[in-house]
Amino acid sequence: MTISLLLADDHPVVRDGLRGVFDGDPDFTVAGEAADGAEAVDRAVALGVDVVLMDLRMPRMGGVEAIRLLRERAPGIRVLVLTTYDSDADVLPAVEAGATGYLLKDAPRDELVRAVRAAHLGQAVLAPSVAQKLLGHVRAPAPAASGLLTDRELEVLRLVAAGTTNKEAAKRLFISEATVKTHLLHLYGKLGVRDRAAAVAAAYRAGLLG
């Protein structure tokens, strides 16, 4: 079975280079391209691709927002971030939004091909520098005011840790998506964090997730 790809990058030269990597391999099909995040979401959903190679910094809509929208509209589509940037400000939001993997554009061709295959299987693939940043984030000191989470907040947190979207969590818990968001805001405050990835990391450090 071939793996269908969408190449999302605002630089045509980069897209051409990526197409060259995969066009000659019978295991892959480049189904389409996109020059910004909004176009990437629309084309990925319309084409029903398996994996999107997503740049982060693009006009009109960046990669993180595009990943988040894809997670909501087509959760079966895997996203492999392929970018030049590996700062905390880039890595953590992308992973929190639902990226399956995160590679840098200087990755060797064979590594990129292996990463796409792994992403297609739902396996996390991280550049060494990115893995180090995430590890450092998890090892950061636990917040002093962790607070006590309610049973419902813990249920929501466990689903978040399992990678579910707000919509999926609402369906499983038989509550509205707005209620899920409210629970998230409350547990963010108790854990002293600002996003899902940080909440999960803080909860593990505090022994709330086993």
Side-chain angles (χ1 to χ4, degrees), residues 171-208:
K171 185 176 180 181
R172 293 192 190 186
L173 297 175
F174 302 101
I175 57 179
S176 70
E177 192 171 348
T179 301
V180 170
K181 291 178 180 177
T182 298
H183 286 310
L184 283 173
L185 289 175
H186 287 167
L187 67 88
Y188 288 171
K190 292 179 180 180
L191 294 172
V193 299
R194 293 185 297 177
D195 57 47
R196 295 160 68 98
V200 172
Y204 273 114
R205 293 199 302 274
L208 297 174

Side-chain angles (χ1 to χ4, degrees), residues 6 8 33-46 54-56 58-67 69-70 73:
L6 180 83
E33 300 180 8
D36 60 64
E39 185 182 12
V41 173
D42 290 340
R43 298 216 68 196
V45 172
M54 183 82 74
D55 191 16
L56 286 185
M58 296 181 287
R60 204 154 71 98
M61 179 188 292
V64 171
E65 187 176 354
I67 294 168
L69 282 175
L70 269 177
R73 293 178 57 184

Side-chain angles (χ1 to χ4, degrees), residues 10-184:
D10 57 328
H11 296 291
V13 173
V14 174
R15 297 199 304 272
D16 288 345
L18 290 173
R19 183 177 283 276
V21 170
F22 295 101
D23 261 350
D25 193 321
D27 291 342
F28 299 94
T29 300
V30 178
E33 300 180 8
D36 60 64
E39 185 182 12
V41 173
D42 290 340
R43 298 216 68 196
V45 172
L47 295 168
V49 298
D50 297 312
V51 180
V52 177
L53 270 66
M54 183 82 74
D55 191 16
L56 286 185
R57 302 188 187 182
M58 296 181 287
R60 204 154 71 98
M61 179 188 292
V64 171
E65 187 176 354
I67 294 168
R68 191 174 293 114
L69 282 175
L70 269 177
R71 180 82 174 176
E72 294 175 358
R73 293 178 57 184
I77 295 177
R78 311 295 187 182
V79 178
L80 177 62
V81 171
L82 188 62
T83 184
T84 308
Y85 310 99
D86 65 350
S87 70
D88 288 342
D90 294 299
V91 172
L92 296 178
V95 173
E96 184 272 332
T100 304
Y102 197 116
L103 282 188
L104 301 182
K105 287 182 178 177
D106 61 359
R109 178 190 182 282
D110 290 347
E111 183 180 340
L112 175 58
V113 171
R114 283 196 301 270
V116 172
R117 293 185 195 277
H120 179 236
L121 296 174
Q123 299 170 357
V125 184
L126 301 172
S129 62
V130 171
Q132 197 65 35
K133 289 187 187 309
L134 289 178
L135 189 60
H137 186 67
V138 171
R139 287 176 173 171
S146 59
L148 180 64
L149 303 187
T150 66
D151 289 343
R152 180 62 91 186
E153 287 165 355
L154 275 172
E155 287 179 316
V156 171
L157 185 58
R158 290 191 186 102
L159 290 174
V160 167
T164 61
T165 64
N166 289 351
K167 186 175 182 179
E168 291 166 343
K171 185 176 180 181
R172 293 192 190 186
L173 297 175
F174 302 101
I175 57 179
S176 70
E177 192 171 348
T179 301
V180 170
K181 291 178 180 177
T182 298
H183 286 310
L184 283 173

